Amino acid sequence: MTITTHSLISTFTPHHTFNHHHHHRRHHQLKPPLKPRAQLSLTTPQPPTSQPTPTTTGVIVIGAGLSGLAAAVRLHADNIPFLLLEATDAVGGRVRTDTVDGFLLDRGFQIFITGYPEARKLLDYKTLDLQKFYSGAKVYYGGRFHTVADPLRHFSDAIQSLTNPIGSVFDKSLIALTRVRVLTQSDEQLLSREETSTVSLLKRIGFSDSIVDRFFRPFFGGIFFDRELETTSRLFDFIFKCLALGDNTLPAKGISAIPEQLAAKLPSNSIILNSPVASVDNLDSIYTVTLKNGEVLRSEYGVIVAVEEPEAVKLLAGELTMNNFCSEIKQPVRSTVCIYFSAERSQVPVDDPVLFINGSGRGIVNNMFFATNVAPSYGPPGKALVSVSLIGLYEDESDEDLRVRIVEELSSWFGPDVAGSWTYLKTYRVRFAQPNQCPPTDLRKNPKVGNGLYACGDYRTSATFDGALVSGREAAEALLKDRSLVRAS
């Protein structure tokens, strides 16, 4: 039976749908809330006459983050009918941007690396209007800043930095050799090779403690949200390769432009917002999804669970899954705090679009940057946006306590007249910023976790934007393969 998207929506009453209007520039607008039906209690048994007729579709995808969107894009490419359910008011999952006082605030420190292989195939970089960071970093150490630069892109800077205290000349030659090593291996080889922790790999290669502590811990610690560098060496190698092949960037309209571009590829009304899922059930090989408002959806071909790991564990607990879905979350999960300040452009001490990292081994700031130096569109005219990132959640400290500590710490970096003039905007505490991917890991997990049931997300592959995109596509392809096998039989 072929079901069109239009016929699906006519029997389902969501809070919001995600529509595409085609003008000279494609954008998205939420419909106003529709009048809700009488909702069913999820705890009180209902008489048979009060049960709604389940809406039926081909595939139900739960979660409109990067992996769920990638799965939906792959299904749509094969004209498979689907509904993409999202609990919140917009697509993106953790990849979201808010507008506050004319500033674009990404929800946590997020950088898009153009070298991601799956992203290159799926995204239109030109339309994203990607704004580049300087290829390197400024390291705060010994009371001043020292440059670490990519010699292929900033040769003169790299030569001048050879003798700075952020590692020896030998250390910097090892960086070049590491670059050659990762570039001569396939992504599959890097993600499946023998593993150790990142810090153990760096020491095995021969890097000195000075460059590990002053550069690798704050730089890759800021990527992994793991300053101890216990994250698997497989992930280090993969990201090192992507950094060698591409640039660190921000989309001009905020990091949320990435999921919004994926959503724009999907049929109008196929994304249902404000629709949190209460349960996934299987009866006689037919999956039903019950929303928290009582609506019941039924899937002909299967369900793809594309929520972050803690939510997936809650939804898939019980007898639905096979042995390849682990219900125990590796601890500690990776958390971060991101604090934003506004400033006058005249109060920004540098013009370069560079990342500043803390190599001193002291203080709470791991990294910071002036976002409007990278992408001027992140702030209104004449204003600058300051983004500061901490590793961990700092649950015992209030937002105000953190603000005071950050201003005091950055006053030693840039001077009290500069840091003291900034105006606090907002704090984001991201409890589940990334899954813990310390060894042992399996970064190529089978997406099939039950008959007709599939799971995707960065916890199933690599904890990167690219890993989420790959995982979503592979979950959809596993479902399509199983469906074709059923039809053939």
Side-chain angles (χ1 to χ4, degrees):
M1 179 172 65
T2 301
I3 303 174
T4 64
T5 303
H6 176 75
S7 67
L8 296 171
I9 302 301
S10 65
T11 60
F12 177 56
T13 309
H15 288 146
H16 293 94
T17 53
F18 194 91
N19 283 321
H20 314 305
H21 298 270
H22 301 279
H23 301 293
H24 294 294
R25 179 177 295 172
R26 177 176 283 174
H27 65 284
H28 318 302
Q29 182 175 333
L30 297 179
K31 278 187 177 180
L34 302 176
K35 185 177 180 180
R37 296 184 197 165
Q39 294 187 354
L40 297 177
S41 167
L42 298 182
T43 56
T44 306
Q46 300 293 323
T49 55
S50 71
Q51 295 293 337
T53 302
T55 297
T56 300
T57 184
V59 180
I60 297 171
V61 183
I62 303 172
L66 291 183
S67 61
L69 288 164
V73 168
R74 183 63 185 85
L75 293 171
H76 183 52
D78 272 27
N79 295 315
I80 304 298
F82 68 90
L83 285 176
L84 177 54
L85 307 178
E86 169 54 40
T88 68
D89 61 355
V91 300
R94 283 169 273 158
V95 186
R96 294 280 301 271
T97 304
D98 297 319
T99 301
V100 176
D101 297 340
F103 292 93
L104 299 181
L105 308 186
D106 295 332
R107 295 185 181 181
F109 174 59
Q110 302 188 58
I111 288 179
F112 179 71
I113 303 174
T114 60
Y116 285 142
E118 187 77 9
R120 283 179 164 177
K121 293 181 274 188
L122 199 55
L123 297 171
D124 180 350
Y125 285 7
K126 183 177 181 181
T127 302
L128 288 174
D129 192 12
L130 298 172
Q131 308 292 299
K132 296 179 183 179
F133 280 79
Y134 177 89
S135 295
K138 287 192 178 294
V139 183
Y140 183 73
Y141 174 76
R144 55 179 295 228
F145 293 107
H146 307 273
T147 298
V148 174
D150 182 339
L152 297 184
R153 294 166 184 165
H154 307 291
F155 181 73
S156 61
D157 290 351
I159 292 297
Q160 292 176 29
S161 68
L162 279 176
T163 57
N164 70 24
I166 313 304
S168 64
V169 174
F170 181 65
D171 284 323
K172 286 148 192 174
S173 68
L174 287 178
I175 290 178
L177 291 174
T178 301
R179 183 183 192 131
V180 171
R181 177 178 63 81
V182 298
L183 287 175
T184 53
Q185 296 182 63
S186 69
D187 298 336
E188 183 66 34
Q189 288 174 315
L190 294 176
L191 293 172
S192 59
R193 63 172 298 181
E194 181 184 351
E195 67 178 337
T196 184
S197 67
T198 292
V199 69
S200 295
L201 173 68
L202 295 174
K203 291 180 177 179
R204 182 189 302 170
I205 291 171
F207 286 110
S208 69
D209 288 344
S210 65
I211 197 167
V212 169
D213 293 339
R214 298 167 195 171
F215 174 71
F216 284 109
R217 287 193 191 278
F219 188 84
F220 280 91
I223 293 173
F224 301 148
F225 302 119
D226 166 29
R227 198 173 173 102
E228 300 307 311
L229 299 182
E230 295 172 343
T231 299
T232 175
S233 56
R234 293 169 174 170
L235 193 56
F236 170 83
D237 282 346
F238 175 69
I239 291 178
F240 202 99
K241 179 179 179 179
C242 292
L243 289 170
L245 292 172
D247 295 297
N248 285 337
T249 68
L250 291 175
K253 294 184 179 179
I255 204 72
S256 64
I258 294 170
E260 287 169 2
Q261 185 181 103
L262 293 173
K265 297 173 180 282
L266 302 175
S268 176
N269 295 332
S270 65
I271 303 174
I272 313 300
L273 302 175
N274 297 310
S275 299
V277 169
S279 65
V280 179
D281 301 289
N282 182 12
L283 180 63
D284 297 329
S285 299
I286 297 293
Y287 278 98
T288 58
V289 173
T290 303
L291 304 184
K292 288 186 177 179
N293 69 1
E295 296 276 1
V296 180
L297 309 178
R298 184 167 58 202
S299 165
E300 284 192 307
Y301 307 135
V303 172
I304 298 175
V305 177
V307 295
E308 62 186 25
E309 187 176 17
E311 294 305 312
V313 167
K314 291 177 188 176
L315 277 179
L316 298 178
E319 300 178 0
L320 286 178
T321 58
M322 302 184 298
N323 292 332
N324 67 329
F325 185 85
C326 179
S327 60
E328 292 188 8
I329 300 171
K330 190 179 290 187
Q331 298 293 334
V333 298
R334 302 311 185 192
S335 304
T336 184
V337 181
C338 183
I339 303 93
Y340 287 102
F341 299 86
S342 67
E344 298 298 323
R345 290 278 171 107
S346 59
Q347 290 297 323
V348 175
V350 295
D351 295 325
D352 295 333
V354 66
L355 181 69
F356 293 85
I357 60 177
N358 185 358
S360 71
R362 297 188 298 272
I364 63 173
V365 173
N366 184 74
N367 56 274
M368 63 83 62
F369 70 107
F370 300 95
T372 40
N373 283 7
V374 180
S377 50
Y378 266 58
K383 297 288 185 179
L385 178 62
V386 185
S387 172
V388 182
S389 294
L390 320 181
I391 296 175
L393 213 52
Y394 291 85
E395 291 182 281
D396 295 334
E397 298 193 50
S398 68
D399 291 353
E400 174 61 14
D401 289 340
L402 289 180
R403 182 197 69 79
V404 170
R405 290 185 66 184
I406 287 166
V407 169
E408 181 180 357
E409 187 172 333
L410 293 183
S411 292
S412 68
W413 291 26
F414 301 110
D417 291 343
V418 173
S421 70
W422 299 342
T423 301
Y424 171 79
L425 283 174
K426 192 174 178 68
T427 296
Y428 291 93
R429 296 178 189 252
V430 187
R431 180 176 298 277
F432 191 85
Q434 284 183 21
N436 180 325
Q437 295 200 319
C438 296
T441 63
D442 175 7
L443 304 185
R444 307 296 294 176
K445 294 183 181 72
N446 185 346
K448 185 174 182 178
V449 296
N451 292 323
L453 186 64
Y454 308 83
C456 59
D458 60 1
Y459 71 100
R460 307 288 298 171
T461 51
S462 65
T464 62
F465 280 18
D466 214 62
L469 296 175
V470 168
S471 181
R473 172 180 57 79
E474 290 183 345
E477 289 177 346
L479 182 149
L480 292 170
K481 180 181 177 182
D482 290 345
R483 177 174 168 241
S484 67
L485 291 173
V486 169
R487 283 189 165 185
S489 62

